[in-house]
Amino acid sequence: MEFRLSDEQVALCESVRKLLAARAPARIVFESDSTDAVRALWGQLSDAGLSSLGLDLPDLDLESSAIEQILVAEELGRAAAPTPYIGLEAATLILSRSELQAAADLLKRALDGHIVVAALPAAYGGTVDVKASEDATSSVLHGEVLLVPGATWANTVLITAESEGSVRVYALDIDQSGCTVTPAPSIDPGSGLAAVTLDGASAVPVLVDDADKVIHDAVLLATLLAAAESTGIAYTALHMAADYARTREQFGHPIGSFQAIKHKLADMVVDVENSRSACYGAAWKLRDGAEDAETFVHMAKAIAAEGGTHVAAQALQIHGGIGCTFEHPIHLYLRRAKANQLLYGDTPEHLESLAEEFLATEREQTR
């Protein structure tokens, strides 16, 4: 069995890494024109093909799957880049599973750089309390979605709403009367969190049949991408801490020579490698459509949510006083790690899901 990335996958990682290194994107969310800056950054990433990852479309040259999607998510985490990537990948999955022409048209726009994000019910453990009213010619939405990652920068949002006793997905352009997008206070401005309030907003149905199953699959993908991004965050935080420990001297010696720092760094390496292995395993399961893919996604998020936060926090501690300043970038990684820790469920929530699955299996085997 081959456990190495292919040449194409390595090239994908390198191209994304170089593009992000040239832009140094982590701090642009603190600029006055941050929305335009993030949209411009995503335009470049979309031109590089990131919008089409994971899609099985006949006119796409690049063959990709969940593996390529998590590789890109990890690279974005390494740079603490503010992008709508996770919400957009979930949105393109939903649109690609629909047979409606409106979905196909919107998917084509998304592949051309139009920012579409999915407001998924499980983003921060809440439910989507939106109702749809339909007639022969139009659909109107009423309700509110409190926390939508990436909505601050989105052009279009996919909303899950109840209509005539069933769940459907609607697309609505945010630049219209009846739709208000309010950026939410957050420890991490780079998450693009916003509340979407709907008061008679016009929308177009983009998924009607089998919506529950497709939404579930989109949540699984988004959960795994959040875990992979946390892995990238932890990787950079680890290497920043290790580099600092090599050069910062105390009592005439690099602090990295002290046993307490060595032990911290060793534990951080274990956290990073555990997170990466768990994400890779879950991505392979999703790619192959395995029956236990959901179990592996739960494991990946449980490991990465805790590991990413632990590594980033320890990295800040190793930096000492300089790590607590706004000028040093390590706080950007801790911010993103803390935001991702809760995104699509924290560690206790996913461990509880795993326990329920294992107990259900045990009960079945003892009958």
Side-chain angles (χ1 to χ4, degrees), residues 9-331:
Q9 290 167 338
V10 171
L12 173 64
C13 292
E14 290 178 348
S15 65
V16 174
R17 195 176 306 155
K18 289 179 181 178
L19 193 156
L20 293 173
R23 290 296 305 270
R27 289 188 180 274
I28 63 176
V29 292
F30 297 102
E31 299 174 1
S32 58
D33 58 345
S34 60
T35 298
D36 291 338
V38 172
R39 286 175 173 172
L41 172 63
W42 179 251
Q44 288 187 299
L45 293 170
S46 180
D47 290 343
L50 268 61
S51 298
S52 63
L53 290 178
L55 300 178
D56 183 17
L57 300 176
D59 55 343
L60 293 179
D61 296 329
L62 176 65
E63 181 179 347
S64 62
S65 66
I67 297 175
E68 285 73 22
Q69 288 174 300
I70 67 160
L71 292 176
V72 169
E74 184 175 345
E75 291 299 330
L76 295 174
R78 286 188 182 193
T83 73
Y85 177 72
I86 296 176
L88 187 137
E89 292 298 298
T92 56
L93 182 151
I94 292 172
L95 296 173
S96 68
R97 298 276 189 89
S98 175
E99 297 181 355
L100 298 179
Q101 186 58 45
D105 294 341
L106 183 55
L107 179 59
K108 183 177 180 181
R109 293 171 64 195
L111 297 181
D112 290 336
H114 187 81
I115 300 179
V116 185
V117 299
L120 298 174
Y124 279 92
T127 58
V128 176
D129 186 20
V130 178
K131 305 293 184 182
S133 302
E134 300 189 41
D135 57 31
T137 59
S138 64
S139 301
V140 174
L141 302 184
H142 293 269
E144 185 177 27
V145 189
L146 291 178
L147 294 170
V148 183
T152 299
W153 315 305
N155 305 115
T156 301
V157 178
L158 300 189
I159 298 288
T160 302
E162 182 181 341
S163 174
E164 300 176 355
S166 63
V167 173
R168 298 180 178 181
V169 179
Y170 297 81
L172 65 107
D173 292 333
I174 63 170
D175 188 18
Q176 62 165 296
S177 59
C179 176
T180 304
V181 176
T182 306
S186 171
I187 189 174
D188 176 35
S191 297
L193 286 174
V196 180
T197 305
L198 308 168
D199 185 15
S202 298
V204 178
V206 291
L207 181 64
V208 175
D209 298 327
D210 204 23
D212 286 324
K213 174 63 168 62
V214 176
I215 293 169
H216 177 75
D217 291 346
V219 170
L220 283 184
L221 175 62
T223 301
L224 179 56
L225 294 180
E229 187 178 63
S230 292
T231 302
I233 292 163
Y235 177 90
T236 296
L238 165 64
H239 284 266
M240 289 173 66
D243 290 342
Y244 185 79
R246 293 188 189 100
T247 58
R248 174 71 166 90
E249 291 191 359
Q250 189 61 267
F251 307 112
H253 299 278
I255 63 172
S257 66
F258 302 147
Q259 191 175 53
I261 301 298
K262 289 180 180 179
H263 286 181
K264 282 182 182 290
L265 290 171
D267 289 341
M268 292 159 68
V269 170
V270 172
D271 283 336
V272 172
E273 292 304 318
N274 281 346
S275 296
R276 180 177 289 120
S277 297
C279 289
Y280 282 11
W284 265 299
K285 291 288 185 177
L286 279 184
R287 182 197 65 180
D288 297 340
E291 292 183 359
D292 56 352
E294 183 171 352
T295 300
F296 277 75
V297 171
H298 284 311
M299 288 193 290
K301 186 58 166 67
I303 293 169
E306 184 172 330
T309 305
H310 176 258
V311 171
Q314 290 299 311
L316 189 146
Q317 289 293 318
I318 290 173
H319 279 83
I322 190 66
C324 298
T325 64
F326 184 81
E327 287 73 20
H328 198 281
I330 188 63
H331 71 94

